[in-house]
Amino acid sequence: MADRVLVIGGGGREHALAWKLAQSPHIKQVLVAPGNAGTANNGKISNSAISISNHAALIQFCKDNEIKLVVVGPEVPLAAGIVDDLTGAGVRCFGPTAKAAQLESSKSFSKAFLDRHGIPTARWKAFTNPKEACSFITSTDFPALVVKASGLAAGKGVIVATNKEGACKAVHEIMQDKTFGAAGETVVVEELLVGEEVSCLCFTDGVTVAPMPPAQDHKRLMDGDQGPNTGGMGAYCPAPQISKDLLLKIRDSILQKAVDGMKEEGVPYIGVLYAGLMLTNDGPKVLEFNCRFGDPECQVILPLLKSDLYEVIQATIKRELSSSMPVWSEDSAAMTVVMACEGYPGNYAKGLEITGFSEAKELGLEVFHAGTAIKDGKVVTNGGRVLTVTAIKKDLMSALEEANKGVAAIRFKGAIYRKDIGYRAIAFLSNSRGLTYKNSGVDIAAGNTLVQKIKPLAAATTRPGCNAELGGFAGLFDLKAAGYKDPILVSGTDGVGTKLKAPSFRHTKSIIMALTTLCHNFFSLQQWG
Ligand code: AMP
Ligand code: GLY
């Protein structure tokens, strides 16, 4: 008999969770509350209007509808104790309890926990008094430039200042102007860490840790990591910057240590644990823990899960993860680009028509909806982050190319999106590819010796019209000398993979362009070398 499950939330992450759960043969229906236009009547998936904040009503709904599992997407219901209440009433619910979710819902709890268990993180101090926070910022001997509202602030409660004055201003904004409301009653002032950020998530049943492939989010609004922090503007997985060895180190020194620490403190952590890490020169350090899948990381991690998500979650809840470890694809990669409304992460308009879904589908892309709704039979915008366009391909470069094509196909007025998602992976892959002459099989010294030896022989073959010297990058041959009217042949004569196949051009400009391309390719290779 097939089961019915309920996913809580309405973002791109929840659409991806519903999409993956719907692939399970054990499942006959996936309800999503409140869901979005992408989860409304989409095969096995449909939306439910049940309130997610009234836990008593939710429990009754689950019992009436024989819901076998509730999967919670966002942090707010977890922090509000949805797992405690539903589990207590006999409804199976996936995620940490409210107490365990403090790893995300209270930054001051989380930082103190990290220190108690010797898990690497930025130096810090928590304050409830703005004056004390500012005097700490000005007097401490490390760059205390990161100011965080301790409570939940939808991923926006962190200010990374460029100087001490800016950090003090941030303290006043959070504590006195109450930019993030009650979440900012306590602030955490933290050392500025430098490095590349990655998201390392795992499933855990409170004892065993099953790492997911590492992903990288792009938190800033604009290309080149400029502009304000957002919930995330795009992601890819796996992040090649994290080698297998480094992932094992992260599993042992961060994820497993955190799970063991929670168990030791009598608050077993069951669910998905997300470590936001900075890869510093002193090794990976924790920027934050989240108690759930990341959004948009979920949209690139789940497509790589070969196992049945429903089975993995059930094993996790039953504390049998060690005998049912999830299996991940080794030969595919996923890339997702978030499309947002003009004005996001500030104010934005709603109700703008979105088109291009069928074109994106024809390209083989998955469009996970986030802030979308259906109005008069049309799909319209209904939130800041509107949707994510996901490409799943054999490697990152092809995924990147495909996701960008999909973004061009989807249209709504004022759509904003980053055009450089994955740029750090591209840089990493180009650097680590080791594109040198030597390892592409070319011995330059031996080549030069050969050139010197055969130069006189080659010179003996020259004829009128020929303008080439052995050892140069290209040769020209003026066909007039052979009785033709105008054309000149240009041919690459040097460089690894920079040959031109006997092209002929009428105009000098074209000849120069051809030579420039040849020389450019040659110098690019030299730079990589
Ligand atoms: P959080 O919500 O704590 O992950 O912070 C949001 C974002 O602020 C992170 O993704 C980082 O880009 C940045 N951030 C947080 N803490 C630090 C830190 N200690 N040093 C540098 N950047 C940070
Ligand atoms: N993408 C970051 C987060 O989900 O918190």
Side-chain angles (χ1 to χ4, degrees), residues 489-493 497-505 514 518:
L489 286 180
V490 183
S491 172
T493 60
T498 55
K499 311 288 181 286
L500 276 191
K501 198 178 168 191
S504 66
F505 300 99
L518 283 166

Side-chain angles (χ1 to χ4, degrees), residues 3-74:
D3 295 346
R4 184 179 288 129
V5 300
L6 173 67
V7 173
I8 304 287
R13 167 184 47 210
E14 288 74 28
H15 188 179
L17 281 164
W19 167 83
K20 190 72 190 173
L21 285 165
Q23 291 169 18
S24 168
H26 306 296
I27 291 179
K28 68 174 175 204
Q29 191 182 18
V30 183
L31 294 174
V32 188
N36 53 41
T39 53
N41 305 321
N42 182 354
K44 282 185 190 177
I45 309 170
S46 51
N47 288 338
S48 162
I50 183 71
S51 155
I52 56 173
S53 49
N54 179 343
H55 294 178
L58 188 58
I59 290 163
Q60 197 54 50
F61 174 86
C62 291
K63 291 192 167 166
D64 293 346
N65 291 280
E66 296 181 336
I67 301 287
K68 288 283 160 51
L69 172 72
V70 178
V71 179
V72 187

Side-chain angles (χ1 to χ4, degrees), residues 41 50 53 89 126 162 166 169 193 207 233 239 245 270 278 371 523:
N41 305 321
I50 183 71
S53 49
T162 46
K169 193 167 156 257
L193 295 179
V207 177
M233 295 301 290
D245 281 352
I270 298 163
M278 188 74 95
F523 288 121

Side-chain angles (χ1 to χ4, degrees), residues 362-427:
E362 274 164 27
L363 289 167
L365 296 155
E366 292 299 334
V367 176
F368 294 118
H369 290 231
T372 64
I374 296 175
K375 194 173 155 201
D376 304 329
K378 291 179 178 154
V379 180
V380 297
T381 64
N382 193 39
R385 289 193 292 175
V386 174
L387 48 84
T388 66
V389 180
T390 306
I392 306 147
K393 291 274 152 191
K394 63 179 190 334
D395 58 48
L396 269 182
M397 299 304 276
S398 344
L400 173 68
E401 212 173 287
E402 285 305 301
N404 283 329
K405 279 190 210 157
V407 168
I410 302 266
R411 277 180 216 98
F412 54 92
K413 197 167 160 259
I416 50 170
Y417 54 89
R418 278 182 62 163
K419 292 156 200 79
D420 67 343
I421 302 301
Y423 78 100
R424 288 178 190 276
I426 295 170

Side-chain angles (χ1 to χ4, degrees), residues 13 217 219 231-232 274 288 290 292-297 385:
R13 167 184 47 210
D217 185 12
K219 298 235 163 85
Y274 165 139
E288 63 165 343
N290 291 325
R292 43 151 181 103
F293 273 105
D295 186 344
E297 289 93 329
R385 289 193 292 175

Side-chain angles (χ1 to χ4, degrees), residues 104 107 111 121-123 143 145-149 154-160 189-195 197 217-220 229-230 274 276-278 286-290 292:
E104 173 169 5
K107 289 199 189 285
K111 293 294 288 188
T121 189
R123 288 174 279 180
L145 297 180
V146 184
V147 183
K148 302 184 173 183
K156 295 167 198 154
V158 175
I159 297 171
V160 181
V189 175
E190 215 175 271
E191 171 191 13
L192 179 77
L193 295 179
V194 181
E197 272 186 71
D217 185 12
H218 298 63
K219 298 235 163 85
R220 301 293 190 107
N229 262 330
T230 67
Y274 165 139
L277 305 175
M278 188 74 95
V286 175
L287 290 175
E288 63 165 343
F289 278 130
N290 291 325
R292 43 151 181 103

